[in-house]
Amino acid sequence: AEDREREYAHYLRILSESVLNFVGSSTKDNIFRMLIEGLTKLLPQAFYISVGQYHEALKVIEIKEVVLDQGIADKVEAILGTRLKGMRMPIGRINEISDILSGRFKQMSGLREVSFQYLPKTMCLKLERLLKRPRVYGCGIAAGRKLYGTVLILIPRDADLKETTHLETFINQAAVALMRLEAEDRLRERERFFRAITENSAEIITIVDADGIINYKSQAVQAELGYRPEEMIGENVFRYIHPQDLSSVTADFRKLLE
């Protein structure tokens, strides 16, 4: 009971630290790095851990981070004929993505399955003999029914991965952080697109809040009215309306807000 309590406390400490680290991360590479560092702490029985990134456009998994004894890694890479880190494996069928979108750990039949049938069967058998026929587990890094990557874990044949809930929670934190970064990238792209349109438009474009305070003014205002856009930010738009038109413009503005 005491061992279990210590293990649980250890998990909670790593989980709480990871929340802050994931939230504060500004790049996907940092998230993948922090993910494998946390998994290494949570899985002392694992002799191999890898984290891969899913590239949706290419339909491939690229191994971003690997934990493996260097001596064994050299032998594995000799069999593969390539470096583990940076290695890419295509995902050929849509059901192979669906199987890992759950974000749950699954015990795999072997390395052939976790390579999405990419590695030749003879090569997989050779690798499994080298690694002493380990137990193989895989888990998707997924959020919002979207795949961001995969986690692969190998443990000795006589060991077992009994409790996976805390591991899945940890991986889900990384998936949510990746989803946040992707959403922020999309927002920045939309902002760049919008700014490119407005800054090159001959029309005066104004964005105001519900009180009529100017939040944005396009560059065209300087050519048309002689004001610099930054001069008008924070001003009330109705200040620039002719007194004779103010009541009707204000009424129309209120109707738009209803």
Side-chain angles (χ1 to χ4, degrees), residues 4-239:
R4 190 168 183 81
E5 286 179 9
R6 279 196 296 270
E7 183 180 337
Y8 186 65
H10 175 63
Y11 152 67
L12 285 179
R13 185 171 63 255
I14 294 172
L15 192 62
S16 61
E17 290 173 356
S18 70
V19 170
L20 296 175
N21 290 333
F22 285 144
V23 168
S25 181
S26 59
T27 68
K28 291 181 179 180
D29 284 347
N30 280 343
I31 291 174
F32 288 121
R33 177 181 53 77
M34 289 186 291
L35 177 56
I36 201 162
E37 286 174 355
L39 289 170
T40 303
K41 295 174 184 176
L42 291 168
L43 287 163
Q45 72 272 41
F47 65 85
Y48 174 95
I49 304 173
S50 67
V51 172
Q53 179 180 0
Y54 178 56
H55 297 282
E56 188 172 11
L58 301 174
K59 296 290 187 293
V60 299
I61 294 287
E62 177 190 1
I63 299 177
K64 300 293 288 184
E65 300 288 344
V66 181
V67 172
L68 179 63
D69 175 80
Q70 188 58 55
I72 300 175
D74 291 341
K75 294 177 182 178
V76 168
E77 290 174 348
I79 294 172
L80 291 172
T82 186
R83 294 283 303 277
L84 275 167
K85 191 170 181 177
M87 180 179 172
R88 293 186 171 192
M89 293 175 289
I91 296 180
R93 297 185 296 273
I94 190 65
N95 68 293
E96 291 171 342
I97 300 176
S98 301
D99 288 346
I100 53 180
L101 276 174
S102 66
R104 303 289 185 186
F105 268 100
K106 174 186 175 183
Q107 184 168 0
M108 307 293 201
S109 59
L111 297 179
R112 174 88 168 149
E113 183 180 0
V114 297
S115 73
F116 305 102
Q117 318 302 319
Y118 171 66
L119 297 178
K121 191 172 183 179
T122 52
M123 181 181 287
C124 290
L125 292 173
K126 195 171 183 179
L127 287 168
E128 287 168 1
R129 282 196 298 271
L130 171 66
L131 300 171
K132 300 180 180 178
R133 294 181 173 78
R135 292 185 185 272
V136 182
Y137 295 87
C139 179
I141 306 169
R145 297 300 296 169
K146 180 168 183 178
L147 184 65
Y148 293 95
T150 56
V151 171
L152 174 61
I153 294 168
L154 306 184
I155 62 175
R157 195 72 185 170
D158 57 357
D160 197 4
L161 200 63
K162 294 178 181 178
E163 179 55 56
T164 61
T165 303
H166 60 292
L167 298 173
E168 290 159 356
T169 301
F170 178 65
I171 293 169
N172 182 64
Q173 286 182 344
V176 170
L178 289 165
M179 182 171 64
R180 172 185 59 81
L181 280 183
E182 196 169 84
E184 290 173 354
D185 287 343
R186 286 198 300 269
L187 179 59
R188 280 192 291 269
E189 186 60 34
R190 283 197 295 269
E191 288 175 345
R192 282 194 293 268
F193 179 70
F194 170 77
R195 190 167 292 278
I197 292 175
T198 57
E199 296 301 330
N200 292 286
S201 173
E203 301 293 331
I204 298 174
I205 299 172
T206 306
I207 298 176
V208 301
D209 65 14
D211 296 317
I213 302 301
I214 299 172
N215 291 327
Y216 174 82
K217 202 78 172 177
S218 66
Q219 292 292 333
V221 71
Q222 187 160 1
E224 294 293 325
L225 303 178
Y227 293 104
R228 295 197 308 275
E230 57 270 22
E231 288 182 80
M232 304 183 74
I233 304 299
E235 295 282 349
N236 194 299
V237 71
F238 299 113
R239 175 172 172 264

